[in-house]
């Protein structure tokens, strides 16, 4: 009996002292970074308006989500030409808003598979007063869309992007109240108005932004669908909407 116990202890000691590295099968290495955030492109209803929201790092939440909410809810109204709403960026990787939300763009505007855009929405972003204005791909994209779009709209400092692209050269416009002087200084030849929440001139609608982005978006729905539909969309978001109560300027 003692012999068997001694033999067992010796075996265990030899196993424990074996420092030979063990071969552990590793999982196959795959390039998952590019696909980690992949998502299917939205299916666009060909009977609707295509409404693109231009997003990037530093986009401000409200100027994006306010008009997005208004326009997306058109699909729940009957007997109108509703809106396909989607986001476009210079990447399909996540972008982070100024407030910290991560967004997955629907389309990459630097690629060839971008759908036709009927309405372009340019929400404000953190660097629309400086480095974004030097982004040639961004500015050229806005210029390209403008050639065929029915409307091009901006909220808050998104107007700086429209101005840089030359879209506002012959139009009256507005922007975030405290940035009006900066916009006038940057684009001295433009007609930029104060004391209004939005300006509609031709195909361009520029707004003061912030929570008042709702009003500019509701105005566009009233323009397209009439006051009753606009009030219905506003009511769905608990907003009292009456165009005459909103300081604005319409030039034609």
């Amino acid at each position: 009996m003692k012999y068997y116990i001694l033999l067992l202890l010796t075996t265990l000691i030899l196993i424990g002292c074996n420092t030979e590295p063990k071969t552990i099968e590793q999982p196959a290495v795959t390039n998952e970074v590019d696909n980690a955030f992949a998502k299917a492109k939205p299916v666009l209803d060909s009977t609707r308006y295509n409404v693109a929201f231009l997003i990037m790092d530093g986009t401000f939440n409200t100027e994006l989500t306010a008009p997005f909410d208004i326009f997306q809810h058109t699909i729940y109204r009957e007997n109108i030409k509703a809106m396909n709403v989607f986001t476009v960026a210079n990447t399909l990787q996540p972008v982070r808003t100024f407030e910290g939300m991560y967004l997955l763009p629907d389309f990459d505007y630097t690629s060839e598979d971008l759908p036709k855009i009927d309405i372009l929405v340019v929400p404000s972003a953190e660097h629309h007063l400086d480095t974004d204005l030097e982004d040639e791909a961004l500015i050229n994209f806005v210029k390209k869309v403008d050639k065929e779009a029915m409307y091009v709209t901006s909220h808050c400092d998104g107007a700086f992007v429209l101005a840089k692209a030359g879209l506002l050269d012959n139009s009256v416009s507005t922007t975030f109240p405290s940035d009006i002087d900066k916009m006038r200084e940057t684009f001295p030849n433009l007609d930029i108005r104060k004391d209004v929440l939005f300006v509609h001139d031709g195909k361009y609608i520029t707004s003061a932004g912030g929570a008042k982005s709702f009003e500019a978006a509701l105005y566009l729905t009233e323009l397209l669908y009439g006051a009753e539909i606009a009030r219905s969309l506003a009511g769905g978001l608990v907003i009292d909407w009456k165009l005459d109560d909103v300081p604005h300027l319409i030039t034609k």
Side-chain angles (χ1 to χ4, degrees):
M1 184 66 176
K2 292 182 179 179
Y3 171 77
Y4 288 112
I5 294 174
L6 180 61
L7 181 60
L8 177 60
L9 289 174
T10 302
T11 302
L12 291 174
I13 292 171
L14 289 174
I15 292 175
C17 292
N18 183 6
T19 58
E20 182 76 17
K22 296 181 180 180
T23 301
I24 301 175
E25 185 177 351
Q26 298 292 336
V29 177
T30 59
N31 184 16
E32 295 183 352
V33 175
D34 291 339
N35 299 321
F37 302 103
K39 68 173 184 177
K41 285 183 170 58
V43 177
L44 304 181
D45 186 330
S46 62
T47 67
R48 299 174 180 173
Y49 295 113
N50 282 344
V51 183
F53 286 75
L54 179 59
I55 62 173
M56 61 199 70
D57 284 331
T59 292
F60 289 98
N61 285 359
T62 304
E63 281 84 14
L64 167 65
T65 59
F68 198 102
D69 280 356
I70 296 294
F71 296 157
Q72 194 275 339
H73 280 77
T74 61
I75 66 175
Y76 302 112
R77 300 302 181 273
E78 296 181 353
N79 303 317
I80 65 170
K81 183 176 180 178
M83 297 179 174
N84 296 314
V85 294
F86 52 87
T87 55
V88 296
N90 64 357
T91 179
L92 291 179
Q93 295 296 305
V95 299
R96 192 180 191 193
T97 69
F98 180 80
E99 291 82 4
M101 291 176 60
Y102 283 96
L103 307 172
L104 285 178
D106 293 309
F107 294 95
D108 179 348
Y109 65 71
T110 66
S111 69
E112 298 297 325
D113 64 345
L114 194 67
K116 180 181 180 296
I117 295 172
D118 299 305
I119 300 169
L120 176 65
V121 183
V122 184
S124 183
E126 181 181 7
H127 294 293
H128 275 176
L129 276 64
D130 42 70
T131 54
D132 287 338
L133 301 184
E134 306 305 319
D135 185 337
E136 292 187 8
L138 168 66
I139 301 304
N140 287 336
F141 165 70
V142 173
K143 289 180 179 179
K144 180 179 179 181
V145 171
D146 176 60
K147 293 177 180 179
E148 295 186 358
M150 295 172 51
Y151 294 103
V152 178
T153 75
S154 69
H155 299 278
C156 189
D157 294 333
F160 281 72
V161 174
L162 271 56
K164 182 66 176 181
L167 275 54
L168 303 179
D169 287 353
N170 300 305
S171 300
V172 182
S173 60
T174 193
T175 188
F176 189 67
S178 64
D179 290 333
I180 287 178
D181 290 340
K182 174 67 175 177
M183 189 170 174
R184 287 173 171 171
E185 176 186 338
T186 306
F187 305 102
N189 296 324
L190 297 189
D191 185 352
I192 304 163
R193 303 295 178 90
K194 288 186 175 182
D195 302 321
V196 289
L197 295 181
F198 67 84
V199 174
H200 176 198
D201 191 345
K203 66 192 291 184
Y204 307 110
I205 301 173
T206 54
S207 90
K212 300 309 177 182
S213 301
F214 282 107
E215 276 81 350
L218 284 166
Y219 167 73
L220 181 54
T221 62
E222 181 162 327
L223 192 65
L224 293 173
Y225 308 120
E228 184 177 350
I229 292 294
R231 285 194 296 269
S232 172
L233 293 166
L237 293 167
V238 199
I239 298 172
D240 293 325
W241 169 249
K242 187 177 181 182
L243 179 58
D244 291 342
D245 293 340
V246 180
H248 66 281
L249 174 64
I250 302 173
T251 66
K252 295 186 178 181

